[in-house]
Amino acid sequence: MDQHGTQGERGRSAPDGQPTLWQVPDDLPATGMPFAVALLALGAAHGLGHKGLHALVREHREQLGRLWDVPDSRLADELARVKVPTARKVADEISTHRADLLATARAKADELARHNISIIGPSALPARLAALPGAPLWLFVEGDPSALYEGPHVAVVGTRDVTPDGVRATEAAVRTLAAYPVTLVSGLANGVDAVAHQAALRDGVRNVAFLGHGIDIVFPAETADIRARIVRTGGAVASEYLPGEHYRKAQFVQRNRLQAGLADLVVAAEGRRSGGTAHTVRFAATYRRPVIGFTWPGAGDLADLIGTEPTGRLIDIFTTAGRRTLDALCRSAADSYGHTTFGLSLVERQLGREAELRALPPEDLIRLRQFLDDLLGQEDGGHAR
């Protein structure tokens, strides 16, 4: 399949024995229309709406372009068969504006491609997302789509009203996972999300950000630079909403399910059980993803919710024991994907940079070797004391 999802599936017969569009009836030749063009054109058809568009994609998947080859005389019946609301009205809209809808969609697809935005069709979605109840049927992705497929993924999420301790907790979480080949997932909102993305960029961690609006909208404006840096450093920004769709509260809730669904581990840095992060926690518990909540004196009551979830676990992130617990979880996630792990990789990178920038006399390296020998000599049960 190409990045526009043009490869399709062919399927079953309709209940009355009549062929579906998937079966390529003799009077309906195969089409080479990319999934992206078909999706964008239908998304712009007045009256179709989210429900109708999802019904059509669910039925025809990457063969969605075949719908544009249906003769006008049969279009209303085909829409009605797929249970598109107001099928006759929508069919008239498509028939009347067919050429304009397709021309505009092709231009939009070209524009998105010029901005490094690809469209993943339903059969090419990351397996962890495709397996979700109410899974997305497509994703618009700015940047490198491989960031969505190459795990493990650790979601770091939390409140927009982050406190100074919440900032410290979020940065500690990212610093811990940064030692391993892990991709950070968050939502590019102000607060914990922005802190997590910035810390990941600082520490060389690849990012995935899910949006609650169209891929061509930057919101909030304060995160525009973070978004650009995520894309520039090999990460991805993804949305299931059509270009031009503005943000709504319900869409941010749905965005949260994608964060939880893609993640191998969800870290809720700070929040309240009445806030939006609680949705991510509940989604993660439903999907049986491990959820880590941070505690410290004065932390919000989100930890109370996490403590009641079957996959929940609470950690005092500001203690050595808490940091080691999170480290072990992140390392285990990376190990489960077959990655080579090294807990001191950040130290190794920093040491390499320092050695490159400094005129080190031999005695400095001898002193470093002595320090490492002393550290090894203090080892007790696998941990330095």
Side-chain angles (χ1 to χ4, degrees):
M1 175 185 297
D2 67 16
Q3 67 179 7
H4 298 304
T6 57
Q7 180 179 331
E9 301 178 43
R10 301 167 80 174
R12 57 193 184 278
S13 294
D16 60 1
Q18 296 299 312
T20 71
L21 299 186
W22 289 13
Q23 291 182 288
V24 194
D26 293 339
D27 63 342
L28 191 61
T31 178
M33 182 182 295
F35 173 79
V37 173
L39 177 70
L40 291 167
L42 286 170
H46 293 301
L48 181 59
H50 285 180
K51 183 176 180 181
L53 182 59
H54 280 76
L56 290 171
V57 176
R58 194 173 293 111
E59 174 69 11
H60 300 298
R61 301 179 71 78
E62 276 77 10
Q63 293 295 308
L64 188 65
R66 199 175 303 284
L67 192 67
W68 289 96
D69 295 326
V70 177
D72 291 346
S73 60
R74 291 173 50 187
L75 185 55
D77 290 340
E78 174 57 26
L79 297 181
R81 182 186 69 79
V82 183
K83 295 182 171 54
V84 171
T86 63
R88 173 62 62 184
K89 182 178 179 180
V90 174
D92 290 343
E93 164 74 11
I94 291 174
S95 298
T96 301
H97 301 288
R98 184 185 299 261
D100 288 342
L101 287 169
L102 288 173
T104 302
R106 291 189 179 98
K108 188 64 177 179
D110 289 342
E111 177 189 351
L112 293 173
R114 287 194 299 272
H115 287 86
N116 194 24
I117 296 171
S118 55
I119 303 177
I120 301 175
S123 297
L125 290 167
R128 294 178 72 83
L129 295 181
L132 299 178
L137 294 175
W138 61 79
L139 284 175
F140 292 83
V141 181
E142 180 183 10
D144 187 352
S146 68
L148 294 161
Y149 298 86
E150 297 171 357
H153 296 89
V154 175
V156 179
V157 297
T159 178
R160 289 173 172 80
D161 300 318
V162 64
T163 64
D165 279 339
V167 171
R168 290 177 55 223
T170 303
E171 291 180 336
V174 176
R175 189 71 173 177
T176 301
L177 67 85
Y180 306 109
V182 168
T183 296
L184 178 131
V185 178
S186 200
L188 206 58
N190 285 326
V192 167
D193 289 11
V195 173
H197 286 305
Q198 287 176 315
L201 290 165
R202 176 199 65 203
D203 290 338
V205 176
R206 184 163 60 174
N207 283 262
V208 167
F210 283 109
L211 307 179
H213 48 76
I215 194 74
D216 55 343
I217 295 173
V218 176
F219 176 82
E222 298 90 333
T223 62
D225 180 65
I226 297 174
R227 173 172 174 165
R229 291 167 61 202
I230 287 173
V231 172
R232 192 164 59 244
T233 55
V237 178
S239 174
E240 63 181 320
Y241 298 104
L242 295 174
E245 282 197 69
H246 287 274
Y247 47 87
R248 295 183 301 177
K249 183 176 181 180
Q251 291 175 181
F252 285 115
V253 173
Q254 291 303 301
R255 177 276 309 272
N256 291 348
R257 89 191 194 285
L258 301 184
Q259 295 176 150
L262 186 63
D264 295 272
L265 174 69
V266 175
V267 176
E270 183 181 25
R272 301 197 65 82
R273 64 184 307 157
S274 59
T277 307
H279 294 293
T280 309
V281 169
R282 293 189 182 99
F283 282 127
T286 299
Y287 306 151
R288 301 200 62 77
R289 307 295 196 253
V291 184
I292 301 302
F294 291 161
T295 63
W296 66 83
D301 62 2
L302 183 64
D304 296 339
L305 172 64
I306 295 171
T308 66
E309 296 292 351
T311 62
R313 183 173 182 179
L314 300 180
I315 290 176
D316 185 344
I317 191 61
F318 296 135
T319 66
T320 300
R323 288 288 290 271
R324 284 182 171 173
T325 297
L326 182 61
D327 179 85
L329 291 169
C330 293
R331 185 167 195 154
S332 176
D335 287 339
S336 71
Y337 279 76
H339 295 305
T340 299
T341 54
F342 177 39
L344 295 178
S345 62
L346 288 177
V347 176
E348 183 181 47
R349 275 183 266 163
Q350 183 63 32
L351 180 60
R353 285 194 290 267
E354 291 289 328
E356 182 180 355
L357 295 173
R358 300 183 185 279
L360 297 176
E363 53 265 29
D364 284 3
L365 298 177
I366 293 172
R367 182 173 177 176
L368 174 62
R369 178 183 294 171
Q370 183 61 54
F371 171 79
L372 294 175
D373 288 343
D374 291 345
L375 189 64
L376 289 170
Q378 294 172 4
E379 191 172 283
D380 177 23
H383 295 296
R385 286 183 292 198

